[in-house]
Amino acid sequence: AQRVTQPEKLLSVFKGAPVELKCNYSYSGSPELFWYVQYSRQRLQLLLRHISRESIKGFTADLNKGETSFHLKKPFAQEEDSAMYYCALSGGSQGNLIFGKGTKLSVKP
Amino acid sequence: DGGITQSPKYLFRKEGQNVTLSCEQNLNHDAMYWYRQDPGQGLRLIYYSQIVNDFQKGDIAEGYSVSREKKESFPLTVTSAQKNPTAFYLCASSIIRGEGEAFFGQGTRLTVV
């Protein structure tokens, strides 16, 4: 079954500390992975996707097919990074995006 | 200004009543989706549609209905059969079903009173 797992509901770090939001997936094929972010009072929006291999707002994510992971990383967290982060998998049996349950990132001053 | 618009932002419903949530997009996207967002549950798919006059059930379709009479519109009706309708509802669209970036509306918070 296709599934996305985000093991941490809440991740709290201090400003300037490194941050890693974990995402593991289950999919029999070549998935397309995304990270979406939802800032307070804003709509859910795409942060980055694995095929673009970009760094957005200092965040990067590498697809590790051996470990079936797509962890989101940033070397130095900022307060404005505080938000809800969702890992998503495209290519489900119904052809839709499958989301993890989300991780709330809180960056303290 | 292109985008996806949901209305209303807040909606209150009495028990036993049906209520319809609006979703409109001017992005010329073929695929549209409805998700339900509950705390600690992530986003769960209710219905999706990839072309006009066609739609498919998602993981939690019971108690909901949709229509896709126009490419730009994908309204969701929450019926009285939905046992726990109080939630935050998100509409999204993408160019092709399951591929590429999905664009989301700002959501509708439905409360049953």
Side-chain angles (χ1 to χ4, degrees), chain B residues 3-7 22-27 32 34 70 72-75 91:
Chain B
I4 181 164
T5 303
Q6 289 185 242
S7 62
S22 171
C23 179
E24 304 276 333
Q25 53 99 0
N26 60 4
L27 300 168
M32 296 187 74
W34 275 104
K70 298 184 295 182
E72 58 270 24
S73 179
F74 191 42
C91 181

Side-chain angles (χ1 to χ4, degrees), chain A residues 36 38 43 86 90 94-95 97, chain B residues 37 48 97-98 102 104 106:
Chain A
Y36 282 82
Q38 191 171 31
R43 65 181 68 200
Y86 290 96
S90 175
Q94 296 173 320
L97 280 173
Chain B
Q37 189 179 29
Y48 70 96
R97 181 190 67 156
F104 284 83
Q106 287 193 305

Side-chain angles (χ1 to χ4, degrees), chain A residues 18-34:
Chain A
V19 63
E20 181 180 52
L21 286 80
K22 291 183 169 48
C23 172
N24 289 90
Y25 67 91
S26 173
Y27 184 73
S28 56
S30 295
E32 188 172 0
L33 276 297
F34 303 83

Side-chain angles (χ1 to χ4, degrees), chain B residues 16-69:
Chain B
Q17 287 183 338
N18 293 353
V19 63
T20 298
L21 283 61
S22 171
C23 179
E24 304 276 333
Q25 53 99 0
N26 60 4
L27 300 168
N28 200 33
H29 285 170
D30 287 311
M32 296 187 74
Y33 316 83
W34 275 104
Y35 289 91
R36 172 176 169 145
Q37 189 179 29
D38 295 287
Q41 296 289 325
L43 278 72
R44 291 181 291 169
L45 182 68
I46 304 172
Y47 268 98
Y48 70 96
S49 167
Q50 60 181 70
I51 55 172
V52 174
N53 293 321
D54 184 61
F55 47 83
Q56 303 295 327
K57 292 182 179 180
D59 299 318
I60 55 166
E62 185 176 350
Y64 299 98
S65 66
V66 294
S67 63
R68 188 86 185 275
E69 297 178 359

